[in-house]
Amino acid sequence: MAPCQEDILLEKIQINSTQEIKLDNMTASVMEAFQNTSDSRTQTQILSIIVNNHTKTELQTLIPGLTINKIDSARKHALVSGPGTILNQPKIYRMKLSKPKVSHFVEFILNPIYSNIVGFGETILKMSSKEKIKVPKVIRNVIDARLIETYLSYCKDSGFDTFSRASLYRILNVCHASKQKSLQGLDNITALGMGAIDTLLKLLTKLETFGVTYPESKKLTNILHMVNTFMKFEYKTHLHKLDGCEDHCTVFALSDPGDAKFATACEHSHETSCQKCSLVESCVPQIRIKLNDISTNIPDQIVEELTYELDNSEKSLVDWKKHILRTIHQDQVS
């Protein structure tokens, strides 16, 4: 059409898209507000008001430097939250850790019930006030979740205002305690007691193959699991010098009934009883009864082996209970 005059012709027929875009008062105000804001989140909220009224090309022409990603974010905001909806960024509140509260929690986790202190090494907690709390390295006997749950229950019962669960987890992460997978060499009596529970569970599986019904086996298995949990975590918290239960009163339980030199009279009566303590003493006899009921169906050699395992397990459980009693009483005295 115009040989050698292409550039002149193109310039004459080119349409300036900016002039054809209708700029009403609202669009002009939105553009001005967008350009006067430096916060990206606020720009997205402002742009979402007019983002669906124009194409991407028109928007980039109206607002120089506007990116495609910004337009897509504004359209998503308009679709999900609504055009121009203000979404305030959530505030993050930081809680200052006070030394008394930290010390209270550290003293709790260092209790011999939950941790065993090793002979060397320590961890230093640095406070914002530049104070330092020295924490000896320990081997923790319980997992963090159960330890925190126990501590929160203790604080609730005693009316002590402590940190949130997340803050307690952070403190535990700083106090690098080892997780002892085997208590052998550290606490052999406890290790034998826990091993006795495993032995009894395997023994119940054997008895089930020789004729014990599944409901009976399941009932005894549940009892053993209950005894295991009680001995690991609950029995320690029940022991006290002034408790009204014979199994929980450390003074009465440790007194020798046959020698007055090794006995102390309690000033309170022991009229209450503990069902779970009774289960510790009765779980093995209950299994022994089931063994005697089906002994005629089992070879004599196997009966002797099972009886031997029952006797050893019963002794280990009793020793475990005595060991916990002595440990807690000694800790209370010191």
Side-chain angles (χ1 to χ4, degrees), residues 188-224:
N188 290 329
I189 298 178
T190 301
L192 290 175
M194 295 170 62
I197 297 293
D198 295 335
T199 301
L200 292 173
L201 290 173
K202 294 178 182 178
L203 191 145
L204 282 176
T205 303
K206 296 178 182 178
L207 293 182
E208 192 173 348
T209 60
F210 288 115
V212 175
T213 62
Y214 175 76
E216 294 175 339
S217 175
K218 184 65 175 178
K219 179 182 177 181
L220 292 173
T221 300
N222 292 337
I223 291 176
L224 288 177

PDB file of all heavy atoms in Angstrom, residues 188-224:
ATOM      1  N   ASN A 188      19.020 -51.355  86.299  1.00  0.00           N
ATOM      2  CA  ASN A 188      18.775 -52.755  85.959  1.00  0.00           C
ATOM      3  C   ASN A 188      17.457 -53.269  86.525  1.00  0.00           C
ATOM      4  O   ASN A 188      16.798 -54.111  85.907  1.00  0.00           O
ATOM      5  CB  ASN A 188      19.931 -53.626  86.471  1.00  0.00           C
ATOM      6  CG  ASN A 188      21.212 -53.393  85.679  1.00  0.00           C
ATOM      7  OD1 ASN A 188      21.171 -53.078  84.500  1.00  0.00           O
ATOM      8  ND2 ASN A 188      22.349 -53.547  86.330  1.00  0.00           N
ATOM      9  N   ILE A 189      17.077 -52.774  87.689  1.00  0.00           N
ATOM     10  CA  ILE A 189      15.828 -53.259  88.301  1.00  0.00           C
ATOM     11  C   ILE A 189      14.634 -52.839  87.459  1.00  0.00           C
ATOM     12  O   ILE A 189      13.717 -53.631  87.203  1.00  0.00           O
ATOM     13  CB  ILE A 189      15.699 -52.730  89.740  1.00  0.00           C
ATOM     14  CG1 ILE A 189      16.860 -53.250  90.596  1.00  0.00           C
ATOM     15  CG2 ILE A 189      14.369 -53.140  90.353  1.00  0.00           C
ATOM     16  CD1 ILE A 189      16.857 -52.738  92.023  1.00  0.00           C
ATOM     17  N   THR A 190      14.643 -51.580  87.015  1.00  0.00           N
ATOM     18  CA  THR A 190      13.561 -51.114  86.151  1.00  0.00           C
ATOM     19  C   THR A 190      13.570 -51.855  84.824  1.00  0.00           C
ATOM     20  O   THR A 190      12.508 -52.201  84.278  1.00  0.00           O
ATOM     21  CB  THR A 190      13.697 -49.605  85.912  1.00  0.00           C
ATOM     22  OG1 THR A 190      13.646 -48.928  87.166  1.00  0.00           O
ATOM     23  CG2 THR A 190      12.580 -49.086  85.022  1.00  0.00           C
ATOM     24  N   ALA A 191      14.758 -52.102  84.295  1.00  0.00           N
ATOM     25  CA  ALA A 191      14.863 -52.825  83.024  1.00  0.00           C
ATOM     26  C   ALA A 191      14.295 -54.236  83.153  1.00  0.00           C
ATOM     27  O   ALA A 191      13.589 -54.717  82.259  1.00  0.00           O
ATOM     28  CB  ALA A 191      16.318 -52.876  82.576  1.00  0.00           C
ATOM     29  N   LEU A 192      14.568 -54.904  84.265  1.00  0.00           N
ATOM     30  CA  LEU A 192      14.033 -56.246  84.477  1.00  0.00           C
ATOM     31  C   LEU A 192      12.516 -56.214  84.645  1.00  0.00           C
ATOM     32  O   LEU A 192      11.811 -57.113  84.170  1.00  0.00           O
ATOM     33  CB  LEU A 192      14.688 -56.878  85.716  1.00  0.00           C
ATOM     34  CG  LEU A 192      16.169 -57.254  85.570  1.00  0.00           C
ATOM     35  CD1 LEU A 192      16.729 -57.741  86.901  1.00  0.00           C
ATOM     36  CD2 LEU A 192      16.350 -58.329  84.494  1.00  0.00           C
ATOM     37  N   GLY A 193      12.006 -55.173  85.299  1.00  0.00           N
ATOM     38  CA  GLY A 193      10.554 -55.060  85.467  1.00  0.00           C
ATOM     39  C   GLY A 193       9.850 -54.853  84.138  1.00  0.00           C
ATOM     40  O   GLY A 193       8.816 -55.477  83.865  1.00  0.00           O
ATOM     41  N   MET A 194      10.399 -53.978  83.304  1.00  0.00           N
ATOM     42  CA  MET A 194       9.813 -53.756  81.984  1.00  0.00           C
ATOM     43  C   MET A 194       9.946 -55.002  81.116  1.00  0.00           C
ATOM     44  O   MET A 194       9.050 -55.329  80.330  1.00  0.00           O
ATOM     45  CB  MET A 194      10.492 -52.562  81.322  1.00  0.00           C
ATOM     46  CG  MET A 194      10.253 -51.245  82.056  1.00  0.00           C
ATOM     47  SD  MET A 194      11.266 -49.878  81.449  1.00  0.00           S
ATOM     48  CE  MET A 194      10.703 -49.750  79.759  1.00  0.00           C
ATOM     49  N   GLY A 195      11.067 -55.714  81.279  1.00  0.00           N
ATOM     50  CA  GLY A 195      11.234 -56.964  80.539  1.00  0.00           C
ATOM     51  C   GLY A 195      10.243 -58.029  80.981  1.00  0.00           C
ATOM     52  O   GLY A 195       9.818 -58.862  80.171  1.00  0.00           O
ATOM     53  N   ALA A 196       9.867 -58.007  82.269  1.00  0.00           N
ATOM     54  CA  ALA A 196       8.893 -58.974  82.768  1.00  0.00           C
ATOM     55  C   ALA A 196       7.538 -58.784  82.099  1.00  0.00           C
ATOM     56  O   ALA A 196       6.839 -59.763  81.806  1.00  0.00           O
ATOM     57  CB  ALA A 196       8.763 -58.827  84.285  1.00  0.00           C
ATOM     58  N   ILE A 197       7.147 -57.523  81.850  1.00  0.00           N
ATOM     59  CA  ILE A 197       5.883 -57.260  81.158  1.00  0.00           C
ATOM     60  C   ILE A 197       5.921 -57.861  79.756  1.00  0.00           C
ATOM     61  O   ILE A 197       4.966 -58.515  79.313  1.00  0.00           O
ATOM     62  CB  ILE A 197       5.612 -55.756  81.090  1.00  0.00           C
ATOM     63  CG1 ILE A 197       5.456 -55.156  82.498  1.00  0.00           C
ATOM     64  CG2 ILE A 197       4.372 -55.475  80.258  1.00  0.00           C
ATOM     65  CD1 ILE A 197       4.233 -55.626  83.236  1.00  0.00           C
ATOM     66  N   ASP A 198       7.025 -57.677  79.048  1.00  0.00           N
ATOM     67  CA  ASP A 198       7.154 -58.239  77.698  1.00  0.00           C
ATOM     68  C   ASP A 198       7.109 -59.765  77.733  1.00  0.00           C
ATOM     69  O   ASP A 198       6.493 -60.404  76.866  1.00  0.00           O
ATOM     70  CB  ASP A 198       8.462 -57.773  77.057  1.00  0.00           C
ATOM     71  CG  ASP A 198       8.494 -56.266  76.823  1.00  0.00           C
ATOM     72  OD1 ASP A 198       7.404 -55.672  76.694  1.00  0.00           O
ATOM     73  OD2 ASP A 198       9.600 -55.690  76.784  1.00  0.00           O
ATOM     74  N   THR A 199       7.752 -60.349  78.742  1.00  0.00           N
ATOM     75  CA  THR A 199       7.749 -61.806  78.865  1.00  0.00           C
ATOM     76  C   THR A 199       6.346 -62.336  79.106  1.00  0.00           C
ATOM     77  O   THR A 199       5.931 -63.352  78.515  1.00  0.00           O
ATOM     78  CB  THR A 199       8.668 -62.237  80.013  1.00  0.00           C
ATOM     79  OG1 THR A 199      10.002 -61.777  79.759  1.00  0.00           O
ATOM     80  CG2 THR A 199       8.679 -63.746  80.171  1.00  0.00           C
ATOM     81  N   LEU A 200       5.588 -61.657  79.955  1.00  0.00           N
ATOM     82  CA  LEU A 200       4.225 -62.090  80.259  1.00  0.00           C
ATOM     83  C   LEU A 200       3.308 -61.948  79.040  1.00  0.00           C
ATOM     84  O   LEU A 200       2.419 -62.773  78.818  1.00  0.00           O
ATOM     85  CB  LEU A 200       3.666 -61.285  81.433  1.00  0.00           C
ATOM     86  CG  LEU A 200       4.342 -61.542  82.789  1.00  0.00           C
ATOM     87  CD1 LEU A 200       3.817 -60.579  83.839  1.00  0.00           C
ATOM     88  CD2 LEU A 200       4.108 -62.983  83.235  1.00  0.00           C
ATOM     89  N   LEU A 201       3.520 -60.899  78.250  1.00  0.00           N
ATOM     90  CA  LEU A 201       2.712 -60.729  77.036  1.00  0.00           C
ATOM     91  C   LEU A 201       2.980 -61.864  76.038  1.00  0.00           C
ATOM     92  O   LEU A 201       2.046 -62.386  75.413  1.00  0.00           O
ATOM     93  CB  LEU A 201       3.019 -59.372  76.398  1.00  0.00           C
ATOM     94  CG  LEU A 201       2.518 -58.133  77.159  1.00  0.00           C
ATOM     95  CD1 LEU A 201       3.038 -56.857  76.511  1.00  0.00           C
ATOM     96  CD2 LEU A 201       0.992 -58.104  77.215  1.00  0.00           C
ATOM     97  N   LYS A 202       4.241 -62.241  75.894  1.00  0.00           N
ATOM     98  CA  LYS A 202       4.567 -63.361  75.007  1.00  0.00           C
ATOM     99  C   LYS A 202       4.025 -64.674  75.554  1.00  0.00           C
ATOM    100  O   LYS A 202       3.573 -65.545  74.796  1.00  0.00           O
ATOM    101  CB  LYS A 202       6.088 -63.455  74.841  1.00  0.00           C
ATOM    102  CG  LYS A 202       6.711 -62.270  74.118  1.00  0.00           C
ATOM    103  CD  LYS A 202       8.223 -62.401  74.032  1.00  0.00           C
ATOM    104  CE  LYS A 202       8.833 -61.183  73.350  1.00  0.00           C
ATOM    105  NZ  LYS A 202      10.328 -61.272  73.313  1.00  0.00           N
ATOM    106  N   LEU A 203       4.046 -64.799  76.887  1.00  0.00           N
ATOM    107  CA  LEU A 203       3.534 -66.020  77.511  1.00  0.00           C
ATOM    108  C   LEU A 203       2.028 -66.167  77.267  1.00  0.00           C
ATOM    109  O   LEU A 203       1.526 -67.277  77.042  1.00  0.00           O
ATOM    110  CB  LEU A 203       3.840 -65.981  79.013  1.00  0.00           C
ATOM    111  CG  LEU A 203       3.624 -67.271  79.800  1.00  0.00           C
ATOM    112  CD1 LEU A 203       4.681 -67.402  80.892  1.00  0.00           C
ATOM    113  CD2 LEU A 203       2.233 -67.291  80.440  1.00  0.00           C
ATOM    114  N   LEU A 204       1.294 -65.051  77.292  1.00  0.00           N
ATOM    115  CA  LEU A 204      -0.145 -65.099  77.017  1.00  0.00           C
ATOM    116  C   LEU A 204      -0.406 -65.558  75.586  1.00  0.00           C
ATOM    117  O   LEU A 204      -1.380 -66.278  75.317  1.00  0.00           O
ATOM    118  CB  LEU A 204      -0.770 -63.715  77.252  1.00  0.00           C
ATOM    119  CG  LEU A 204      -1.012 -63.325  78.705  1.00  0.00           C
ATOM    120  CD1 LEU A 204      -1.532 -61.895  78.791  1.00  0.00           C
ATOM    121  CD2 LEU A 204      -2.008 -64.283  79.357  1.00  0.00           C
ATOM    122  N   THR A 205       0.455 -65.149  74.670  1.00  0.00           N
ATOM    123  CA  THR A 205       0.306 -65.595  73.284  1.00  0.00           C
ATOM    124  C   THR A 205       0.490 -67.107  73.174  1.00  0.00           C
ATOM    125  O   THR A 205      -0.241 -67.792  72.438  1.00  0.00           O
ATOM    126  CB  THR A 205       1.333 -64.879  72.387  1.00  0.00           C
ATOM    127  OG1 THR A 205       1.170 -63.465  72.515  1.00  0.00           O
ATOM    128  CG2 THR A 205       1.150 -65.262  70.936  1.00  0.00           C
ATOM    129  N   LYS A 206       1.428 -67.647  73.940  1.00  0.00           N
ATOM    130  CA  LYS A 206       1.638 -69.095  73.947  1.00  0.00           C
ATOM    131  C   LYS A 206       0.431 -69.816  74.548  1.00  0.00           C
ATOM    132  O   LYS A 206      -0.016 -70.846  74.027  1.00  0.00           O
ATOM    133  CB  LYS A 206       2.899 -69.443  74.745  1.00  0.00           C
ATOM    134  CG  LYS A 206       4.189 -68.912  74.146  1.00  0.00           C
ATOM    135  CD  LYS A 206       5.380 -69.272  75.028  1.00  0.00           C
ATOM    136  CE  LYS A 206       6.674 -68.691  74.465  1.00  0.00           C
ATOM    137  NZ  LYS A 206       7.841 -69.007  75.343  1.00  0.00           N
ATOM    138  N   LEU A 207      -0.095 -69.258  75.645  1.00  0.00           N
ATOM    139  CA  LEU A 207      -1.242 -69.906  76.291  1.00  0.00           C
ATOM    140  C   LEU A 207      -2.458 -69.914  75.371  1.00  0.00           C
ATOM    141  O   LEU A 207      -3.273 -70.846  75.412  1.00  0.00           O
ATOM    142  CB  LEU A 207      -1.584 -69.182  77.599  1.00  0.00           C
ATOM    143  CG  LEU A 207      -0.552 -69.281  78.728  1.00  0.00           C
ATOM    144  CD1 LEU A 207      -1.049 -68.554  79.969  1.00  0.00           C
ATOM    145  CD2 LEU A 207      -0.251 -70.739  79.050  1.00  0.00           C
ATOM    146  N   GLU A 208      -2.579 -68.878  74.552  1.00  0.00           N
ATOM    147  CA  GLU A 208      -3.711 -68.818  73.629  1.00  0.00           C
ATOM    148  C   GLU A 208      -3.627 -69.938  72.588  1.00  0.00           C
ATOM    149  O   GLU A 208      -4.657 -70.470  72.165  1.00  0.00           O
ATOM    150  CB  GLU A 208      -3.728 -67.452  72.940  1.00  0.00           C
ATOM    151  CG  GLU A 208      -5.015 -67.171  72.178  1.00  0.00           C
ATOM    152  CD  GLU A 208      -5.076 -65.750  71.652  1.00  0.00           C
ATOM    153  OE1 GLU A 208      -4.230 -64.933  72.072  1.00  0.00           O
ATOM    154  OE2 GLU A 208      -5.966 -65.468  70.834  1.00  0.00           O
ATOM    155  N   THR A 209      -2.412 -70.328  72.218  1.00  0.00           N
ATOM    156  CA  THR A 209      -2.260 -71.429  71.266  1.00  0.00           C
ATOM    157  C   THR A 209      -2.567 -72.783  71.903  1.00  0.00           C
ATOM    158  O   THR A 209      -2.892 -73.746  71.209  1.00  0.00           O
ATOM    159  CB  THR A 209      -0.833 -71.457  70.704  1.00  0.00           C
ATOM    160  OG1 THR A 209       0.104 -71.634  71.786  1.00  0.00           O
ATOM    161  CG2 THR A 209      -0.517 -70.165  69.982  1.00  0.00           C
ATOM    162  N   PHE A 210      -2.469 -72.838  73.251  1.00  0.00           N
ATOM    163  CA  PHE A 210      -2.705 -74.108  73.951  1.00  0.00           C
ATOM    164  C   PHE A 210      -4.128 -74.245  74.487  1.00  0.00           C
ATOM    165  O   PHE A 210      -4.443 -75.251  75.126  1.00  0.00           O
ATOM    166  CB  PHE A 210      -1.717 -74.272  75.108  1.00  0.00           C
ATOM    167  CG  PHE A 210      -0.309 -74.569  74.673  1.00  0.00           C
ATOM    168  CD1 PHE A 210       0.703 -73.669  74.923  1.00  0.00           C
ATOM    169  CD2 PHE A 210      -0.007 -75.748  74.000  1.00  0.00           C
ATOM    170  CE1 PHE A 210       2.005 -73.935  74.524  1.00  0.00           C
ATOM    171  CE2 PHE A 210       1.287 -76.021  73.598  1.00  0.00           C
ATOM    172  CZ  PHE A 210       2.306 -75.113  73.850  1.00  0.00           C
ATOM    173  N   GLY A 211      -4.986 -73.251  74.265  1.00  0.00           N
ATOM    174  CA  GLY A 211      -6.379 -73.455  74.668  1.00  0.00           C
ATOM    175  C   GLY A 211      -7.038 -72.303  75.385  1.00  0.00           C
ATOM    176  O   GLY A 211      -8.262 -72.323  75.585  1.00  0.00           O
ATOM    177  N   VAL A 212      -6.296 -71.282  75.821  1.00  0.00           N
ATOM    178  CA  VAL A 212      -6.926 -70.132  76.469  1.00  0.00           C
ATOM    179  C   VAL A 212      -7.710 -69.345  75.424  1.00  0.00           C
ATOM    180  O   VAL A 212      -7.192 -69.065  74.336  1.00  0.00           O
ATOM    181  CB  VAL A 212      -5.874 -69.230  77.143  1.00  0.00           C
ATOM    182  CG1 VAL A 212      -6.519 -67.968  77.706  1.00  0.00           C
ATOM    183  CG2 VAL A 212      -5.168 -69.995  78.250  1.00  0.00           C
ATOM    184  N   THR A 213      -8.953 -69.011  75.740  1.00  0.00           N
ATOM    185  CA  THR A 213      -9.798 -68.319  74.765  1.00  0.00           C
ATOM    186  C   THR A 213      -9.285 -66.899  74.523  1.00  0.00           C
ATOM    187  O   THR A 213      -8.611 -66.308  75.371  1.00  0.00           O
ATOM    188  CB  THR A 213     -11.249 -68.264  75.258  1.00  0.00           C
ATOM    189  OG1 THR A 213     -11.312 -67.520  76.482  1.00  0.00           O
ATOM    190  CG2 THR A 213     -11.794 -69.661  75.490  1.00  0.00           C
ATOM    191  N   TYR A 214      -9.659 -66.369  73.360  1.00  0.00           N
ATOM    192  CA  TYR A 214      -9.203 -65.024  73.005  1.00  0.00           C
ATOM    193  C   TYR A 214      -9.717 -63.958  73.975  1.00  0.00           C
ATOM    194  O   TYR A 214      -8.942 -63.074  74.376  1.00  0.00           O
ATOM    195  CB  TYR A 214      -9.633 -64.696  71.575  1.00  0.00           C
ATOM    196  CG  TYR A 214      -9.305 -63.276  71.159  1.00  0.00           C
ATOM    197  CD1 TYR A 214      -7.998 -62.914  70.832  1.00  0.00           C
ATOM    198  CD2 TYR A 214     -10.297 -62.300  71.114  1.00  0.00           C
ATOM    199  CE1 TYR A 214      -7.688 -61.613  70.460  1.00  0.00           C
ATOM    200  CE2 TYR A 214      -9.993 -60.999  70.747  1.00  0.00           C
ATOM    201  CZ  TYR A 214      -8.695 -60.659  70.416  1.00  0.00           C
ATOM    202  OH  TYR A 214      -8.399 -59.378  70.061  1.00  0.00           O
ATOM    203  N   PRO A 215     -11.011 -63.973  74.369  1.00  0.00           N
ATOM    204  CA  PRO A 215     -11.481 -62.956  75.340  1.00  0.00           C
ATOM    205  C   PRO A 215     -10.698 -62.978  76.645  1.00  0.00           C
ATOM    206  O   PRO A 215     -10.380 -61.926  77.205  1.00  0.00           O
ATOM    207  CB  PRO A 215     -12.947 -63.323  75.548  1.00  0.00           C
ATOM    208  CG  PRO A 215     -13.348 -64.030  74.293  1.00  0.00           C
ATOM    209  CD  PRO A 215     -12.140 -64.804  73.891  1.00  0.00           C
ATOM    210  N   GLU A 216     -10.371 -64.183  77.140  1.00  0.00           N
ATOM    211  CA  GLU A 216      -9.596 -64.266  78.386  1.00  0.00           C
ATOM    212  C   GLU A 216      -8.180 -63.727  78.182  1.00  0.00           C
ATOM    213  O   GLU A 216      -7.655 -63.001  79.043  1.00  0.00           O
ATOM    214  CB  GLU A 216      -9.553 -65.728  78.855  1.00  0.00           C
ATOM    215  CG  GLU A 216     -10.901 -66.299  79.279  1.00  0.00           C
ATOM    216  CD  GLU A 216     -10.811 -67.774  79.610  1.00  0.00           C
ATOM    217  OE1 GLU A 216      -9.842 -68.428  79.140  1.00  0.00           O
ATOM    218  OE2 GLU A 216     -11.700 -68.277  80.329  1.00  0.00           O
ATOM    219  N   SER A 217      -7.566 -64.102  77.067  1.00  0.00           N
ATOM    220  CA  SER A 217      -6.226 -63.617  76.768  1.00  0.00           C
ATOM    221  C   SER A 217      -6.210 -62.097  76.584  1.00  0.00           C
ATOM    222  O   SER A 217      -5.297 -61.412  77.065  1.00  0.00           O
ATOM    223  CB  SER A 217      -5.686 -64.302  75.509  1.00  0.00           C
ATOM    224  OG  SER A 217      -4.438 -63.769  75.129  1.00  0.00           O
ATOM    225  N   LYS A 218      -7.232 -61.570  75.893  1.00  0.00           N
ATOM    226  CA  LYS A 218      -7.317 -60.127  75.675  1.00  0.00           C
ATOM    227  C   LYS A 218      -7.483 -59.385  76.989  1.00  0.00           C
ATOM    228  O   LYS A 218      -6.880 -58.312  77.199  1.00  0.00           O
ATOM    229  CB  LYS A 218      -8.499 -59.828  74.740  1.00  0.00           C
ATOM    230  CG  LYS A 218      -8.631 -58.365  74.352  1.00  0.00           C
ATOM    231  CD  LYS A 218      -7.464 -57.900  73.526  1.00  0.00           C
ATOM    232  CE  LYS A 218      -7.666 -56.470  73.039  1.00  0.00           C
ATOM    233  NZ  LYS A 218      -6.500 -55.989  72.259  1.00  0.00           N
ATOM    234  N   LYS A 219      -8.285 -59.926  77.889  1.00  0.00           N
ATOM    235  CA  LYS A 219      -8.496 -59.292  79.189  1.00  0.00           C
ATOM    236  C   LYS A 219      -7.196 -59.212  79.985  1.00  0.00           C
ATOM    237  O   LYS A 219      -6.850 -58.162  80.550  1.00  0.00           O
ATOM    238  CB  LYS A 219      -9.547 -60.072  79.973  1.00  0.00           C
ATOM    239  CG  LYS A 219      -9.829 -59.508  81.357  1.00  0.00           C
ATOM    240  CD  LYS A 219     -10.852 -60.361  82.096  1.00  0.00           C
ATOM    241  CE  LYS A 219     -11.081 -59.829  83.507  1.00  0.00           C
ATOM    242  NZ  LYS A 219     -12.065 -60.661  84.252  1.00  0.00           N
ATOM    243  N   LEU A 220      -6.451 -60.313  80.004  1.00  0.00           N
ATOM    244  CA  LEU A 220      -5.181 -60.324  80.730  1.00  0.00           C
ATOM    245  C   LEU A 220      -4.146 -59.423  80.054  1.00  0.00           C
ATOM    246  O   LEU A 220      -3.326 -58.789  80.737  1.00  0.00           O
ATOM    247  CB  LEU A 220      -4.654 -61.756  80.821  1.00  0.00           C
ATOM    248  CG  LEU A 220      -5.481 -62.712  81.699  1.00  0.00           C
ATOM    249  CD1 LEU A 220      -4.952 -64.135  81.583  1.00  0.00           C
ATOM    250  CD2 LEU A 220      -5.456 -62.260  83.164  1.00  0.00           C
ATOM    251  N   THR A 221      -4.184 -59.346  78.727  1.00  0.00           N
ATOM    252  CA  THR A 221      -3.264 -58.449  78.013  1.00  0.00           C
ATOM    253  C   THR A 221      -3.537 -56.995  78.376  1.00  0.00           C
ATOM    254  O   THR A 221      -2.595 -56.212  78.599  1.00  0.00           O
ATOM    255  CB  THR A 221      -3.413 -58.644  76.494  1.00  0.00           C
ATOM    256  OG1 THR A 221      -3.097 -60.001  76.155  1.00  0.00           O
ATOM    257  CG2 THR A 221      -2.479 -57.710  75.732  1.00  0.00           C
ATOM    258  N   ASN A 222      -4.800 -56.616  78.437  1.00  0.00           N
ATOM    259  CA  ASN A 222      -5.158 -55.246  78.829  1.00  0.00           C
ATOM    260  C   ASN A 222      -4.700 -54.943  80.251  1.00  0.00           C
ATOM    261  O   ASN A 222      -4.253 -53.826  80.545  1.00  0.00           O
ATOM    262  CB  ASN A 222      -6.667 -55.043  78.706  1.00  0.00           C
ATOM    263  CG  ASN A 222      -7.139 -55.069  77.263  1.00  0.00           C
ATOM    264  OD1 ASN A 222      -6.367 -54.821  76.346  1.00  0.00           O
ATOM    265  ND2 ASN A 222      -8.406 -55.395  77.052  1.00  0.00           N
ATOM    266  N   ILE A 223      -4.813 -55.933  81.123  1.00  0.00           N
ATOM    267  CA  ILE A 223      -4.352 -55.742  82.512  1.00  0.00           C
ATOM    268  C   ILE A 223      -2.843 -55.493  82.542  1.00  0.00           C
ATOM    269  O   ILE A 223      -2.355 -54.604  83.254  1.00  0.00           O
ATOM    270  CB  ILE A 223      -4.733 -56.961  83.371  1.00  0.00           C
ATOM    271  CG1 ILE A 223      -6.249 -57.022  83.567  1.00  0.00           C
ATOM    272  CG2 ILE A 223      -4.030 -56.909  84.728  1.00  0.00           C
ATOM    273  CD1 ILE A 223      -6.724 -58.245  84.321  1.00  0.00           C
ATOM    274  N   LEU A 224      -2.092 -56.248  81.747  1.00  0.00           N
ATOM    275  CA  LEU A 224      -0.636 -56.067  81.721  1.00  0.00           C
ATOM    276  C   LEU A 224      -0.254 -54.702  81.163  1.00  0.00           C
ATOM    277  O   LEU A 224       0.679 -54.057  81.671  1.00  0.00           O
ATOM    278  CB  LEU A 224       0.004 -57.184  80.882  1.00  0.00           C
ATOM    279  CG  LEU A 224       0.011 -58.581  81.495  1.00  0.00           C
ATOM    280  CD1 LEU A 224       0.608 -59.584  80.530  1.00  0.00           C
ATOM    281  CD2 LEU A 224       0.778 -58.588  82.818  1.00  0.00           C
TER     282      LEU A 224
END
